Amino acid sequence: MAPTVLRYLLLFLAMVLPLQANAVLKIEITGGSEAALPIAIVPFGVEGYAPPEDISDIISNDLASSGRFAPLEKRDLISQPHQGEQVNFQDWRLLRSEGLLIGKVSSQDGENYQVQFQLFDVYKAEQLVGKRYNVPASGLRSLAHQIADIVYETLTGEKGVFSTRLAFVTEMKNADGSKRYALQVSDADGGNPRTVLQSTQPIMSPNWAPDGERLAYVTFENAKAEVYVQELSSGRRNSVASFRGLNSAPAWSPDGKRLALTLSKNGNPEIYILELASGNLSRVTHNSGAIDTEAVWMPNGREILFTSDRGGRPQIYRVDADGGRAERVTFEGGYNASADISPDGKTMAMVHAVNGKFHIAIQDLQTGAVQVLTDTTADESPSFAPNGRMILYATEQKGRGVLAAVSVDGRIKQRLGESGSAVREPAWSPFRR
Amino acid sequence: MKFFKLFALLLPLFFLAACSSSPDKGMNGGDVAVEERGADTAGVDGQGADGEDMGAEARVVVGEDGYAGNELNDPSSPLSNRVVYFDYDSDVVRSEDQETLRAHGAYLAKNPNLTVRLEGHTDERGSREYNLALGERRALSVRQILMLQGASIDQFQVTSFGEERPAEEGSSDYAWSQNRRVELKYIGR
């Protein structure tokens, strides 16, 4: 086990160092699966102008970071084929790698690139998939993630999430001790980060629209919590809730037409649904003695789960989006909050406190069985990957906010650290449409 | 009411202090310093570090009422204390803070042109959104006590920053105890 982790780490360092200049978050495998599938990824051949991104490195890094693949080290690669007819399958069988990925990148002008790849089943000596693309230099990075998704899906049967994105909030300290906050969006591997909002006031609770093109979030820029919706391509943003009291915890409905919100305009935090086109507001919860917040939609769009302390301590409840009686969902432990629902609607992730230590746990919504996935103690804000395989969350390392991810079976653990600022409030994007 | 006699007596002293003390240099930029609990007579001569909270706010209020600003900054008055603290996951005002809040309530009732902003905060533990709601609940329970003294609901702005703006950095019991708080910020009219 330990040498495996070390190998990952070295591999990771080798792959990440050249990219470090533009990588905000970097993935470190902190716990791995012994069942990781060995795969040989041959550095892609280059013809003409050298590409600004190392495509095979990005693919290799993606696959390794999932914890489900163990890319062979470069020095172990027996030969460096770039197209099918150069492959001697016998060689690769000796390395016990089941998959073999080769490819090449060519450009006549340094602006437009032709990229091709082929993925082989080494034992069957046959090609599983092969494609060719024409992309501008600026598209190489996202193409690499796209190829990693194809490899992942071909070999595991599940959709890959390497082309998805992460939203998160960073906090930086200025020289005078004041702070500045940023809402950022990066690739799923932490690369290609960009700031979509900067503020001298805190930012909270980013939530992706199902189209992946808009984010709802909470800002304090007007000295109180208000909800904005921002379109990522244009940067255009609108205040959608600035009522008296709290305006917070936005959650898009699966159809993208409504936002569940927490508003305290009538004196107490309650769940409301805002219909975005009309601006119509309907109230979902009615419990004036309690905090009701952190709504999250079931994939069916008809039910909402939320956090409430109506029973004394925060627990998760379920209610029809049309209102009505809420029923309690969590019974294990004295503190359950911040629910997120897996894309298939079967599993709930939540913050679960045991003896004052806050962990990420999952609960089977059918059986009610709870499994604690993390052993860190200040975990918050769980967010499912769109394939339901991993849960991204915020935690602390040496007193500073970092992001981490854990697989739903608890076997794969990653940490996404950033240098220089505290990172929190992660939200994993949906699949691109 | 006995406070007001005391203020009248000590007024010249406070005025001096307000002039000689430097502006607030609290962590949150122009916001009120949170270490006001420690304010004592050492602040009156402008030497004590604890006296430095007699800053920006006092100047705002003096414009409204020549006496009011100084009264608020009398270090020996409960009015100089503008932060109350809470137990974990609780919005119950502690008995030792009741006197402070009663004094503020009575002061607001006597100065109906004054507005106070109540900012609720929590420690960092647990859900950020839940904490945002908890901070508001703390601010509301402070407002309730102030209103019992005759202050009008129009004199309040209630807001919460949840765990987003800690007074004390870190994850110690001490930091947490300092962060579970409501700050009273007077704003002129």
Side-chain angles (χ1 to χ4, degrees):
Chain A
M1 182 74 189
T4 318
V5 172
L6 192 66
R7 226 178 57 184
Y8 276 130
L9 209 72
L10 289 172
L11 186 70
F12 154 76
L13 282 174
M15 290 184 301
V16 153
L17 285 177
L19 297 173
Q20 223 166 21
N22 66 350
V24 177
L25 298 166
K26 44 183 191 173
I27 297 182
E28 180 187 338
I29 309 272
T30 50
S33 160
E34 285 161 22
L37 197 69
I39 182 170
I41 298 170
V42 178
F44 282 14
V46 174
E47 285 173 7
Y49 284 82
E53 305 276 2
D54 189 331
I55 291 188
S56 41
D57 262 6
I58 295 171
I59 296 169
S60 180
N61 194 14
D62 279 350
L63 293 173
S65 76
S66 75
R68 303 192 66 185
F69 291 91
L72 299 187
E73 288 191 62
K74 276 183 191 162
R75 64 158 191 268
D76 290 340
L77 300 174
I78 288 175
S79 57
Q80 305 249 321
H82 300 311
Q83 46 205 49
E85 53 275 19
Q86 300 168 346
V87 175
N88 178 349
F89 290 104
Q90 203 58 46
D91 289 352
W92 299 100
R93 282 178 202 140
L94 290 174
L95 293 172
R96 281 197 283 258
S97 99
E98 292 176 33
L100 168 66
L101 180 71
I102 63 170
K104 63 178 181 185
V105 185
S106 50
S107 176
Q108 305 310 316
D109 55 10
E111 287 168 14
N112 294 293
Y113 287 82
Q114 191 176 74
V115 179
Q116 65 174 59
F117 79 90
Q118 292 167 281
L119 176 66
F120 296 96
D121 180 321
V122 169
Y123 291 97
K124 290 185 186 154
E126 65 181 34
Q127 179 177 315
L128 296 170
V129 58
K131 285 181 194 286
R132 183 177 293 154
Y133 307 84
N134 285 298
V135 292
S138 62
L140 286 167
R141 203 183 157 77
S142 66
L143 176 63
H145 291 314
Q146 218 175 301
I147 295 173
D149 280 335
I150 293 170
V151 172
Y152 183 93
E153 187 167 358
T154 304
L155 296 176
T156 68
E158 285 173 22
K159 273 187 99 166
V161 293
F162 308 119
S163 295
T164 61
R165 288 157 294 163
L166 312 178
F168 49 89
V169 173
T170 60
E171 176 189 296
M172 307 265 277
K173 218 173 221 169
N174 296 319
D176 67 358
S178 65
K179 290 173 177 170
R180 60 183 194 278
Y181 304 85
L183 176 60
Q184 302 206 354
V185 170
S186 76
D187 292 351
D189 65 352
N192 192 26
R194 58 199 179 95
T195 297
V196 300
L197 179 74
Q198 241 174 341
S199 178
T200 58
Q201 299 300 319
I203 302 168
M204 278 175 71
S205 304
N207 188 271
W208 290 90
D211 61 12
E213 283 163 17
R214 289 166 295 166
L215 278 173
Y217 53 79
V218 176
T219 80
F220 291 81
E221 62 201 74
N222 298 321
K224 63 193 282 279
E226 294 181 359
V227 177
Y228 279 74
V229 167
Q230 182 167 334
E231 189 181 72
L232 291 177
S233 56
S234 65
R236 240 190 353 245
R237 59 200 286 265
N238 290 313
S239 166
V240 297
S242 56
F243 299 100
R244 174 193 280 267
L246 297 180
N247 303 267
S248 90
W252 294 87
S253 62
D255 65 7
K257 293 177 178 161
R258 293 163 290 168
L259 267 187
L261 297 169
T262 299
L263 305 176
S264 66
K265 66 193 187 72
N266 290 330
N268 193 61
E270 305 281 357
I271 309 293
Y272 289 77
I273 294 173
L274 173 69
E275 202 177 78
L276 287 161
S278 66
N280 283 345
L281 205 57
S282 59
R283 185 165 163 179
V284 179
T285 60
H286 300 266
N287 200 315
S288 58
I291 291 169
D292 291 341
T293 188
E294 299 187 315
V296 56
W297 296 76
M298 292 295 286
N300 63 20
R302 294 191 301 273
E303 295 162 292
I304 283 174
L305 268 59
F306 64 100
T307 305
S308 176
D309 72 341
R310 57 185 66 192
R313 303 296 321 278
Q315 296 289 349
I316 313 287
Y317 291 76
R318 184 200 322 246
V319 69
D320 280 351
D322 298 337
R325 244 183 103 83
E327 60 174 37
R328 189 164 157 181
V329 174
T330 50
F331 294 92
E332 207 167 299
Y335 190 111
N336 291 293
S338 309
D340 193 33
I341 307 295
S342 64
D344 65 7
K346 291 179 179 165
T347 309
M348 173 175 69
M350 64 211 180
V351 173
H352 174 78
V354 180
N355 300 328
K357 315 274 190 218
F358 296 83
H359 307 290
I360 302 301
I362 52 171
Q363 179 167 329
D364 183 315
L365 287 173
Q366 291 294 310
T367 66
V370 173
Q371 187 189 351
V372 178
L373 299 181
T374 61
D375 49 20
T376 37
T377 59
D379 305 339
E380 54 187 34
S381 310
S383 172
F384 271 99
N387 66 357
R389 183 87 193 165
M390 302 288 291
I391 297 165
L392 181 67
Y393 60 98
T395 185
E396 277 190 3
Q397 188 178 25
K398 295 182 189 130
R400 217 191 56 191
V402 295
L403 303 186
V406 61
S407 60
V408 287
D409 61 10
R411 281 160 58 181
I412 299 162
K413 287 185 172 146
Q414 307 170 345
R415 185 161 298 139
L416 295 85
E418 195 207 27
S419 51
S421 59
V423 194
R424 59 187 186 228
E425 298 285 87
W428 207 317
S429 82
F431 286 119
R432 279 181 198 273
R433 289 195 172 162
Chain B
M1 287 306 104
K2 66 182 174 191
F3 297 129
F4 294 106
K5 277 184 197 159
L6 189 65
F7 297 147
L9 266 168
L10 298 175
L11 185 68
L13 270 179
F14 308 144
F15 202 74
L16 276 173
C19 295
S20 62
S21 67
S22 59
D24 161 47
K25 53 177 188 186
M27 290 178 52
N28 295 331
D31 295 342
V32 66
V34 294
E35 296 84 0
E36 294 180 2
R37 286 202 142 190
D40 56 26
T41 45
V44 173
D45 61 14
Q47 302 297 315
D50 287 338
E52 292 187 340
D53 61 275
M54 301 174 202
E57 287 181 7
R59 285 195 293 276
V60 174
V61 179
V62 165
E64 302 299 328
D65 175 345
Y67 296 97
N70 300 300
E71 218 172 306
L72 277 174
N73 284 308
D74 173 359
S76 68
S77 155
L79 291 177
S80 69
N81 178 13
R82 266 167 258 154
V83 189
V84 293
Y85 298 90
F86 293 81
D87 291 340
Y88 175 63
D89 199 18
S90 166
D91 63 351
V92 178
V93 173
R94 294 173 181 165
S95 54
E96 66 259 36
D97 287 324
Q98 296 279 350
E99 188 201 345
T100 296
L101 293 184
R102 279 199 296 269
H104 281 287
Y107 180 72
L108 285 161
K110 205 176 153 68
N111 295 278
N113 62 327
L114 284 182
T115 307
V116 69
R117 183 174 156 90
L118 304 175
E119 286 186 4
H121 301 265
T122 70
D123 69 31
E124 66 181 1
R125 290 176 289 173
S127 149
R128 287 177 183 271
E129 282 287 356
Y130 180 80
N131 284 341
L132 187 63
L134 178 60
E136 185 188 57
R137 189 191 261 180
R138 285 176 176 159
L140 288 173
S141 73
V142 166
R143 184 179 73 176
Q144 191 177 17
I145 293 172
L146 297 174
M147 285 175 64
L148 283 174
Q149 302 303 311
S152 136
I153 195 159
D154 303 332
Q155 289 177 277
F156 298 101
Q157 289 178 16
V158 170
T159 191
S160 172
F161 284 97
E163 65 179 272
E164 306 301 316
R165 285 172 61 164
E168 192 73 39
E169 301 278 345
S171 301
S172 61
D173 283 337
Y174 172 73
W176 290 337
S177 73
Q178 294 300 294
N179 293 336
R180 296 187 300 264
R181 69 199 193 278
V182 170
E183 298 184 14
L184 286 74
K185 298 186 171 179
Y186 281 88
I187 46 185
R189 268 170 77 76

